[in-house]
Amino acid sequence: MKKISRRSFLMAAGISAAALGLTACGADSQSASGAEAKDGISVAALSSAYVEKNPAMWDEICEAFTEQTGIAVSKLTLEKNLEDVIGASMQGGDYPDVVCLSVGRPAGLTEQFVKDKLIADITDVLSMTIPGEEETVGKKIAGGFTDNSITNPYGDGKTYLAPMFYGPCGLFYNAGLLEEKGWKLPTTWDEMWELGEQAQAEGIYLFTYPTAGYFDTFLYALMYTVGGPEFFDKATHYEEGIWDTDEAKLCFEIIDKLASYTNPKTPSQANNQDFKMNQQMVLDNQAIFMPNGTWIAGEMKDSPRAEGFKWGMTALPTVKAGEAPYSYTWFEQTWIPKDAANVDAAKQFVAFLYSDAACAIFAKAGAIQPVLGISELVEDEYSKEFYAIYDNGAKAAMGNFAPYKSTAGLGTVSEVFLEPINALVSKNLTRDQWVADIKAASDKMRENLL
């Protein structure tokens, strides 16, 4: 059994001595398909904002899965610091059968498993009939979600990560403020800078962000905005010379200029403890726009806000008037460790996640699966508006930076492309130095592509 190296795992998860928090769900049995799991399967899932809304969400999923297939879920690990909690057992080679943990987390655990090729190929799940239904998984999942650089990280035509809860990302703002001031919602970057000057004259900053990590979806959408899918694909695969192109220069110019319009308090609060203070800036009219996702309304529902506050969401401004804007489609992922004890039964569980029964359970918590016709389950007023962004002319941007081998001295994508944003805002880093660092890192990333 191949194990993730101790060095790699410590880098990814920062192992702590936290004890495993496990609860039983279901009873021992065997599925109708013959996927045997003598002692039941184990599922580990991140305790996210969706769980805060419906604490029983994953228990209900496990129970519905067992009722439908006869496969027990004997262990359910549900923690906010999931990487730490499952770390010790995984380091010892004892993996959960199913892991519901996305790329883009600070610990980078999923990325580490991708880099070390420790994730099972689940391409065959797409052709599996969903338990309790007649449709196959592949025909039920919306187009584009199973053939992108996140779900298919090696470019080999195979799917390794199953797409989960999704939501369009963009710039969120107080629509009530723009109405009150008579300010036009910018549709181009030139209009954005004009609004920045108007707002600054009244002591309001144009921009803030929760943490620098939230710039991932912003940067991806911006790449599509300045150069379309072709530029995005070349940039995210670190093509030689890509950062010297006009499209790349425009990307850096926009981000650098946006940094100058960003509330200066942002960097000091851009961490996992204080990020809501930056989000609060939008509710208090201390900043107009912030990059975020559809969960923001629920996450801040109990927070104080300015009189007349009303959530608004827009795609990124375009370079030229009349061009179609882009909004990045964010989605979580679920995967199966290659050396899990019950891979076949785990695939049944993953297939079940796209059933009507599972989608209805998830939707109660506002967790929306990338399943055709899912909008019928969206009830929240703001969520309906947010999910309508693609109906209103925006194009979907999707994908991620290509994975590369763990290499001494080479940081993560976040460390290279995103975290320096804090230093740009605080003026501790120049655009030229940031670009130079990106070029140097990209050369190593390209040499070590998986």
Side-chain angles (χ1 to χ4, degrees), residues 239-270:
E239 182 176 286
E240 187 171 359
I242 192 64
W243 304 119
D244 290 315
T245 62
D246 291 340
E247 292 86 353
K249 291 176 182 177
L250 183 55
C251 267
F252 295 133
E253 177 186 330
I254 289 173
I255 293 176
D256 187 43
K257 191 167 185 176
L258 195 59
S260 69
Y261 282 102
T262 298
N263 191 307
K265 296 179 182 178
T266 299
S268 64
Q269 299 171 167

Side-chain angles (χ1 to χ4, degrees), residues 80 145 151 213 244 388 393 409:
K80 290 184 177 180
F145 277 94
T151 57
D244 290 315

Side-chain angles (χ1 to χ4, degrees), residues 20-71:
L20 294 177
L22 305 177
T23 58
C25 183
D28 295 354
S29 54
Q30 182 177 335
S31 75
S33 69
E36 188 174 348
K38 182 178 179 181
D39 298 317
I41 65 171
S42 60
V43 176
L46 182 71
S47 181
S48 62
Y50 300 129
V51 176
E52 291 182 10
K53 187 171 182 180
N54 179 14
M57 181 177 81
W58 281 107
D59 293 283
E60 293 176 13
I61 290 293
C62 291
E63 291 167 4
F65 170 71
T66 299
E67 181 179 352
Q68 183 61 56
T69 66
I71 303 174

Side-chain angles (χ1 to χ4, degrees), residues 176-191:
L177 174 64
L178 269 61
E179 292 174 2
E180 175 190 341
K181 298 292 186 180
W183 292 338
K184 176 185 175 183
L185 179 66
T187 58
T188 67
W189 282 107
D190 285 341
E191 292 176 353

Side-chain angles (χ1 to χ4, degrees), residues 306-325:
E307 184 177 352
F309 181 89
K310 182 169 59 177
W311 282 113
M313 175 188 176
T314 183
L316 264 62
T318 62
V319 176
K320 299 178 181 178
E323 294 177 338

Side-chain angles (χ1 to χ4, degrees), residues 210-211 214 269-279 299:
T211 68
Y214 277 70
Q269 299 171 167
N271 54 67
N272 289 337
Q273 290 73 44
D274 303 320
F275 71 96
K276 284 188 177 181
M277 297 174 68
N278 286 337
Q279 294 178 168
E299 190 171 65

